[in-house]
Amino acid sequence: MDQRSSYDTVEDLLADRSDESVHLECSRETVDRAVRFVHERYARRRCAFYVSTDRGFDRETVHSYLKLFARLAGGTVDPNDAIAHFGLAPAARTKVGQLTPEQHALLNFARMSLFEPEVVFCERPLADVTPATRELVTAWMGEVADAGGILITAGEPLREALLMPGTAFFEEDGRLHEAQTAVDGDADEAATYAGDEVRVFKVPTRSEGATILFDPREIDFVESVNRANFASVRGELYPVNMTLDELEAELERYGFFRCHRSYIVNVQKVTRVEGFTRNSFNLTLADAKQSQIPLAKGRAEAMRERYGWK
């Protein structure tokens, strides 16, 4: 039986997709309902949770805190290995109350890893990590998924949700809708252009009541969020009235690629192509925020072929 693409409640969604990894762009209320449902649904399985209120025990050091949870977990993961894996060695003797937000986030992931979880629930897992440490987090999550584990994240913006291994959903008008990743015409060959005709094209955007025309080379990527399109330029998002299909047709000749149903990327800005899991990919850009953009499974091979990447 085919699964639905939209749901009236988060409970319906999580029940229907109970054997899958799912990622939710949703409200605070929906996050709270999701974590309660996961607690009940997977009570008999090894679970690990990370929510925004998890701040640890202020007077414990990183090492003593993880040593305590290693005893509670009773697993095979050594707390020193968890400290090393998540880059916490320089802070091992630091009290939890003195950690930075990023170190707090990494501490929570290290804590979860001690339980060797089958099910992981995270609220905004990438919110406090920087590009320098994000790979530590995504690599661990990818390992969980590849081992057959279930990842459930909630509260992230859709762009972050789409980076996760699994299926992303967004909340709109009280319902949760699947974010489609397929691109119409995936099987079509790349467009060809006859001759060396000269064409001028600027991407028209809006900012504070004015129209700003961007040279395509200034644009890092274009994204579609909640039925609105935005061009990312030097870390700022500018509204664009053109559709993604219209933009794709114009931008393709300037080195842009439709990497996902919701994204068109300037390939000149791509610095890394990574496999998050066996079937999940992302692109890291050399832009102001070192953005990560989802690469749909069906588009990965097309991108390799077009640009001769191995």
Side-chain angles (χ1 to χ4, degrees), residues 112-171:
M112 289 193 294
S113 73
L114 298 172
F115 289 84
E116 301 171 86
E118 299 172 285
V119 180
V120 173
F121 181 96
C122 293
E123 179 184 356
R124 299 209 64 191
L126 303 180
D128 290 322
V129 296
T130 63
T133 58
R134 181 167 48 195
E135 187 176 352
L136 300 175
V137 172
T138 56
W140 179 74
M141 296 177 75
E143 290 168 8
V144 172
D146 281 342
I150 296 171
L151 297 170
I152 300 169
T153 67
E156 287 284 20
L158 187 58
R159 185 193 309 161
E160 305 290 2
L162 287 166
L163 291 173
M164 305 293 179
T167 306
F169 292 83
F170 62 92
E171 191 171 36

